[in-house]
Amino acid sequence: MRGGVTRVRWRLDFLTDRLTLAVAALVALVLGMPLLKPLFAALFPTLDRPLYEADSFLALTVDHLALVGLSSLLAVLVGCSAGIFVTRRSGAEFRGILEAVATMGQTFPPVAVLAVAVPVMGFGAKPALIALTLYALLPIVENTVAGLEAVPGSVLESARGLGMSPAEVLFRAELPLAAPVILAGVRTAVIINVGTAAIASTVGAKTLGLPIIVGLNGSNQAYVIQGAVIVAALAVVLDFGFDRLAALSVRWRKA
Amino acid sequence: MIAFEGVTKRFEPWVAVDGVSLTVQAGEFCVLIGPSGSGKSTLMKMVNRLIVPDAGTIRIDGEDIAGLKPEELRRRMGYVIQNVGLFPHWTVERNIATVPALLGWPKARVQDRVAELLDLLKLDPRRFRDAYPHQLSGGQQQRVGVARALAAEPNILLMDEPFSALDPITRGALQAEMAAIHKATRTTIVFVTHDMDEALKLANRIAVLDHGRLIQFGTPLDILTNPANDTVRDLIGREDWGLKLLAVETVGQRVRSDGEAFGQPVPGTAPLRQALAEMVARGTDRLPVVDEQGRPAGVLHLSDLVRP
Amino acid sequence: MAAPRPTILHNRVALLLAAAVAAAALTLPFLSFAPNRLLSGRGIPLAGALAGVVDAPWGWAALLPGAVILAVPFLRPSRAVSAVYSAAGVLFAAGLVWLAGAHAAHLAATSAPAARTSFGAGFWVMEAAALLAAMDGVRRLGLPPAWRIAVGGATAALVAAQLAAGHLDQLSILKEYANQRDVFAAAVLRHGLLVAGALVPTLLIGVPLGVLANRSFHVRRLVFPVLNVIQTIPSIALFGLLMAPLSALAGALPGLGISGVGPVPAVIALTFYSLLPIVRNTVEGLDGVPPAVREAARGMGMTRRQVFLKVEVPLALPVFLSGLRITLVQAVGLAAVAALIGAGGLGAIMFQGLFANALDLVLLGAVPVILLAVAVDAALKLAVSLAVSLTGRRAA
């Protein structure tokens, strides 16, 4: 029932909703970190420079998100396509090897994959991007295949029998039904990549890990905390966001 | 009208359908029956090209379907399967509207058609229109499945053991409704089952298949009175064969104009089995018969039930 | 219907791998030769590496399995072909390493000691393709997944034999190892200690917590959100955030021997991260015990403790061990990151290489980390299948 009182309550719920709070906290930290300079100066009186000022935290956050976002997008495009391909009749023979690679690859520690990218491709954001994309591919491929496999055969049969073309079956039936599982894979990939992107500062990419690395190398704990707090908040925001998306993707199941 | 001409299908190394030729008349309710592995499902699925024959031709109204685009062919037919296969993420309404949406019907027409079908399949729109499949019972889901198949007003309806997974009561209700729908719409129905009772109840003609070959094709009465071989006899069931025979013929076919009888009359359209049951219940050997308008039509004698 | 078209192509996966091998052999550098550690090297194609190998017959023999891999796509599939394919994959993988070692030795004979011969992109692609070919062959034979581990093991054994024989000593990664031998050994030991050191508190805290969460809905509702948030926090951030409080604590209580840097914050953070998989899988394992079995056991007169030890634990074991596997593999990786806060371990070698632009050092750190993670994963998978066969339960 929709009424004035209900609508107001909905607005207030929005304010206390944990995703909103997390986003607010993140924005506050990113934009307001310079305001906390006196606090850090007080906590760490021995430091000359209690605030990381070589780059703006906003720029670092944007760069970090760009690296994570781009690698995830590429991984979704390539990974979902690969997952779709191996669940079609024409691609079925590649499925075994693809699943084996995806499972095995996930035992490789992401930091090691990132490091190995350097001897092969050099330093900078590009090798980091490739390493992150490759690593994100694994759970996405695995989950795309699992999600598509879980679509009941009767749904596929009736869809084809009613006259849907293979493309229509894929986009109107299979993918919407596989979406929750695929989304879970994307979530895993993104959360891992947020952490790995921070470490990517050691291979020449500019991300939120930079204050942390600079702080660790120069024994500046304030820098470390500033970088750590923001990147942790970013990860939490993304996690809550995916939680929300996951709930939306199974709305029909909760009816 | 659906014509199978020498249709063969192999799934190496075994032959699923072996040179089957038969013609389903327009508006006919044709049941394909046979033991497991007899090729009945395979044969039916060749009508909508879900399976492609290795040899032979299938014509619909004279046109060879091999030349048609499969999707277009299927959109002209209804398809109902045992496990229903409703789209779990769509409401009942959207499920039913699947083919009309694919065909690009205007929204108003779709909505009207959905309302019509919900009514036809005895589903209360207020309860079911916006419900999701997981909220429905098995019988309700299959009603939606049938509605979905009929949505685009197809000339041909293909049904693959649609009621086999349901409990006997629901199955009986849906069978009765299917018979009524057939009578009302005169759609050509190809219906696969392994249950002879279901076949005898619903079919205009029954095609008995075994190991991919057509053994017999005839009316229920033909099948019962002249079974072609032991396979057919086994399908009928040897013990109550006689009773099944009584289920197929009606009182009107054996009524005599002479003689007297008393008590509640029995309608001419009732099956003989019902009349026999009445006689046993009342302890009498004759029953008065009335026609559809309720006027006296004669008397049914017990001795006429058994024809030498 | 017409007879099936005669096909020359029988195995598209093998074709893909063969194409990768061919492309890598022809276009990518097999090895890279640099006059010293700091300069980038010039590429040496596969053909070049062959020409330089003195005992030419051996060189060609090392490549023969490669020829098999190129031919398999066109062979009619059969068990024999798949078996040969697997063997060829293993032999080619080992053969490429052998060839690299031989050519490195050849180059070392005519150049300065500071010169470096390292693996090129072509080597890595061909090596990966060879291993994938071996695994695909095993899969087509229908053998259980444990055989894939065997394939890896066989290749590792052949490479280990070459290492032991000193054949690979002129490759840059081994020259680096030679320089860092003690450091490397200490790093491996430290890495293992970090993982083991975190495992003990994780089990001591996590398992009881899991048992409690299985019994009490309230505990479950409290524990999982907290552990989930911890798991989301990037590892480097958690390491960083622990530094300040621990330094403060160390300053206040110097006698305890803790500090903001080094193994202590690493082990603490590792424990936090390891709790979620352990608790979650303990709960799942216990949840998976059918209530009917529990009831039957109680009905037979077993005490609660006996039911737990004799019924619940064995049945929950496969799922629990799966969680342990996830935990340990994760811990191996996290321990590498912990090197950034001074915890030592293989990560220290890796990051030292990154910061000094010494790429072989990077490999000397990173490759063992990967191998360690894979080995731990394989070992625990075997443990899980052992538990499954002993208790007749399916793992998660």
Side-chain angles (χ1 to χ4, degrees):
Chain A
M1 289 218 289
R2 288 248 171 264
V5 174
T6 333
R7 217 170 274 152
V8 170
R9 204 179 300 143
W10 177 81
R11 287 249 161 81
L12 286 178
D13 280 347
F14 174 67
L15 285 177
T16 52
D17 163 54
R18 65 176 193 171
L19 177 60
T20 323
L21 290 173
V23 171
L26 177 67
V27 170
L29 281 169
V30 171
L31 296 174
M33 192 61 82
L35 297 173
L36 293 173
K37 188 169 179 179
L39 175 65
F40 285 107
L43 284 170
F44 303 103
T46 54
L47 290 174
D48 291 335
R49 283 187 273 262
L51 183 76
Y52 182 82
E53 280 163 331
D55 305 281
S56 85
F57 285 105
L58 182 62
L60 288 174
T61 307
V62 169
D63 285 335
H64 196 109
L65 274 172
L67 187 58
V68 173
L70 190 56
S71 60
S72 304
L73 187 64
L74 286 171
V76 166
L77 286 172
V78 174
C80 287
S81 307
I84 292 173
F85 176 61
V86 301
T87 44
R88 311 294 102 182
R89 224 177 328 171
S90 52
E93 59 178 314
F94 291 94
R95 186 169 156 191
I97 203 84
L98 189 69
E99 282 185 314
V101 171
T103 327
M104 238 189 32
Q106 288 183 80
T107 54
F108 290 20
V111 63
V113 172
L114 182 67
V116 165
V118 171
V120 181
M121 289 179 273
F123 282 89
K126 207 174 72 144
L129 180 66
I130 295 178
L132 285 172
T133 307
L134 282 176
Y135 207 78
L137 274 173
L138 307 171
I140 290 178
V141 165
E142 197 176 33
N143 279 41
T144 304
V145 173
L148 288 171
E149 277 294 297
V151 176
S154 56
V155 170
L156 298 176
E157 197 188 334
S158 64
R160 289 208 64 214
L162 289 170
M164 285 193 188
S165 67
E168 281 165 337
V169 176
L170 178 64
F171 286 104
R172 295 193 200 198
E174 294 188 86
L175 285 176
L177 289 172
V181 179
I182 299 179
L183 200 61
V186 177
R187 178 183 187 169
T188 306
V190 167
I191 299 299
I192 294 179
N193 273 7
V194 169
T196 315
I199 304 174
S201 296
T202 57
V203 304
K206 204 184 233 189
T207 66
L208 284 166
L210 199 52
I212 304 178
I213 303 291
V214 169
L216 286 170
N217 280 344
S219 304
N220 187 329
Q221 284 184 13
Y223 284 8
V224 172
I225 293 179
Q226 286 150 21
V229 160
I230 295 183
V231 77
L234 180 62
V236 169
V237 162
L238 286 170
D239 193 51
F240 286 177
F242 270 104
D243 219 25
R244 187 61 49 84
L245 273 176
L248 286 173
S249 71
V250 289
R251 244 183 326 186
W252 54 265
R253 230 185 268 165
K254 301 287 189 282
Chain B
M1 187 196 71
I2 307 172
F4 294 91
E5 296 163 10
V7 173
T8 302
K9 178 69 186 175
R10 264 174 236 106
F11 293 114
E12 297 298 334
W14 108 85
V15 185
V17 175
D18 194 357
V20 170
S21 296
L22 68 88
T23 305
V24 180
Q25 303 297 342
E28 183 172 32
F29 198 129
C30 172
V31 172
L32 305 178
I33 192 170
S36 293
S38 53
K40 49 194 196 291
S41 277
T42 311
L43 190 66
M44 189 188 84
K45 285 188 196 172
M46 291 202 257
V47 177
N48 64 0
R49 303 273 299 173
L50 282 177
I51 296 179
V52 176
D54 291 328
T57 324
I58 301 175
R59 287 179 208 283
I60 296 182
D61 295 331
E63 195 184 357
D64 184 354
I65 60 171
L68 297 170
K69 250 182 95 177
E71 280 86 49
E72 281 171 24
L73 180 68
R74 291 170 200 155
R75 289 174 197 181
R76 291 198 267 154
M77 300 182 201
Y79 186 54
V80 184
I81 55 177
Q82 185 175 12
N83 292 324
V84 194
L86 292 182
F87 303 122
H89 59 307
W90 286 357
T91 57
V92 164
E93 175 171 19
R94 204 167 161 199
N95 262 286
I96 296 177
T98 303
V99 183
L102 288 175
L103 292 172
W105 284 17
K107 234 177 129 177
R109 189 179 169 200
V110 174
Q111 281 192 344
D112 288 341
R113 184 66 179 147
V114 170
E116 226 183 289
L117 288 163
L118 286 172
D119 187 51
L120 184 67
L121 272 303
K122 305 210 174 58
L123 293 163
D124 179 3
R126 282 167 308 168
R127 254 184 84 194
F128 292 106
R129 191 176 204 123
D130 295 316
Y132 285 95
H134 71 92
Q135 297 169 301
L136 272 52
S137 72
Q140 291 161 344
Q141 284 186 15
Q142 193 56 291
R143 284 170 194 268
V144 176
V146 174
R148 182 175 65 169
L150 292 170
E153 294 161 351
N155 287 329
I156 297 174
L157 190 58
L158 302 176
M159 307 182 82
D160 193 352
E161 308 213 40
F163 310 137
S164 303
L166 302 171
D167 67 270
I169 297 177
T170 317
R171 198 184 311 144
L174 279 170
Q175 283 167 351
E177 279 172 44
M178 213 55 236
I181 291 173
H182 176 243
K183 212 165 160 191
T185 62
R186 282 284 131 199
T187 319
T188 311
I189 301 183
V190 179
F191 189 107
V192 169
T193 182
H194 61 270
D195 180 357
M196 188 50 101
D197 285 326
E198 189 169 48
L200 292 170
K201 208 188 289 187
L202 296 171
N204 292 141
R205 279 199 293 175
I206 301 176
V208 182
L209 294 152
D210 189 24
H211 289 101
R213 287 203 202 96
L214 180 65
I215 308 295
Q216 191 171 4
F217 187 34
T219 64
L221 192 59
D222 290 339
I223 304 281
L224 282 174
T225 51
N226 297 309
N229 64 14
D230 278 343
T231 314
V232 182
R233 270 183 268 260
D234 284 333
L235 275 170
I236 296 168
R238 297 189 190 231
E239 278 111 39
D240 50 343
W241 179 31
L243 290 176
K244 285 199 166 71
L245 208 55
L246 285 179
V248 163
E249 280 199 61
T250 58
V251 170
Q253 289 168 284
R254 306 269 180 105
V255 68
R256 263 197 259 166
S257 44
D258 64 303
E260 272 199 339
F262 305 99
Q264 181 80 353
V266 69
T269 51
L272 287 177
R273 188 152 71 176
Q274 186 181 331
L276 176 63
E278 277 297 309
M279 290 187 197
V280 171
R282 296 188 211 171
T284 175
D285 66 344
R286 15 181 128 185
L287 290 175
V289 180
V290 292
D291 64 15
E292 274 155 25
Q293 280 78 34
R295 294 180 304 227
V299 171
L300 181 69
H301 295 246
L302 178 60
S303 53
D304 288 336
L305 256 52
V306 180
R307 252 200 211 135
Chain C
M1 197 76 188
R5 274 200 327 255
T7 39
I8 38 165
L9 181 61
H10 291 276
N11 187 335
R12 284 154 75 211
V13 177
L15 181 70
L16 182 67
L17 293 173
V21 168
L26 294 171
T27 61
L28 291 173
F30 179 62
L31 294 172
S32 171
F33 179 75
N36 64 46
R37 217 183 182 214
L38 300 168
L39 294 176
S40 47
R42 64 172 171 87
I44 301 175
L46 184 63
L50 277 175
V53 172
V54 175
D55 357 19
W58 279 116
W60 287 109
L63 290 186
L64 197 62
V68 172
I69 291 178
L70 291 173
V72 163
F74 308 102
L75 299 175
R76 194 152 319 150
S78 72
R79 292 183 70 81
V81 168
S82 297
V84 168
Y85 192 45
S86 307
V90 170
L91 290 172
F92 191 47
L96 285 170
V97 176
W98 184 90
L99 200 58
H103 192 67
H106 172 75
L107 286 173
T110 55
S111 48
R116 297 290 196 213
T117 313
S118 45
F119 297 121
F123 168 83
W124 291 114
V125 171
M126 285 193 278
E127 189 74 12
L131 286 167
L132 285 175
M135 286 201 301
D136 193 46
V138 162
R139 202 182 48 86
R140 274 171 204 266
L141 283 172
L143 294 170
W147 280 83
R148 273 193 237 136
I149 299 173
V151 156
T155 315
L158 287 171
V159 172
Q162 295 176 39
L163 275 171
H167 179 76
L168 304 173
D169 283 350
Q170 293 307 317
L171 284 166
S172 56
I173 187 175
L174 277 139
K175 278 175 128 173
E176 205 69 63
Y177 170 69
N179 289 342
Q180 308 266 351
R181 207 190 300 255
D182 295 330
V183 174
F184 184 80
V188 173
L189 187 63
R190 170 60 69 87
H191 206 106
L193 284 175
L194 285 171
V195 172
L199 190 60
V200 173
T202 303
L203 290 174
L204 286 176
I205 301 174
V207 174
L209 203 54
V211 174
L212 272 174
N214 165 255
R215 302 256 171 94
S216 156
F217 185 62
H218 293 297
V219 171
R220 202 188 283 229
R221 254 183 34 181
L222 280 173
V223 158
F224 280 114
V226 172
L227 289 180
N228 274 316
V229 168
I230 293 177
Q231 201 75 7
T232 311
I233 298 176
S235 56
I236 192 176
L238 191 63
F239 287 134
L241 287 171
L242 279 175
M243 276 175 70
L246 281 174
S247 301
L249 200 61
L253 305 165
L256 276 175
I258 43 172
S259 97
V261 294
V264 173
V267 168
I268 294 177
L270 248 62
T271 306
F272 282 150
Y273 280 118
S274 305
L275 279 173
L276 179 66
I278 289 287
V279 171
R280 185 181 53 202
N281 278 48
T282 305
V283 171
E284 261 179 42
L286 289 170
D287 278 351
V289 176
V293 172
R294 270 201 196 100
E295 275 176 45
R298 292 298 301 282
M300 284 194 284
M302 287 193 193
T303 65
R304 288 216 71 174
R305 192 148 162 254
Q306 285 175 321
V307 172
F308 181 71
L309 287 174
K310 296 200 180 187
V311 174
E312 296 186 280
V313 166
L315 288 177
L317 199 60
V319 177
F320 172 76
L321 285 176
S322 244
L324 188 62
R325 174 179 68 87
I326 296 170
T327 303
L328 285 175
V329 170
Q330 183 184 258
V332 168
L334 290 173
V337 178
L340 287 169
I341 59 166
L346 288 163
I349 298 180
M350 199 174 76
F351 284 113
Q352 188 188 338
L354 282 174
F355 290 140
N357 200 357
L359 303 179
D360 295 304
L361 212 51
V362 173
L363 284 177
L364 189 63
V367 172
V369 168
I370 295 179
L371 291 176
L372 190 59
V374 171
V376 164
D377 185 68
L380 273 157
K381 275 198 177 120
L382 283 173
V384 169
S385 54
L386 198 66
V388 165
S389 59
L390 284 177
T391 63
R393 297 281 286 174
R394 284 178 58 227

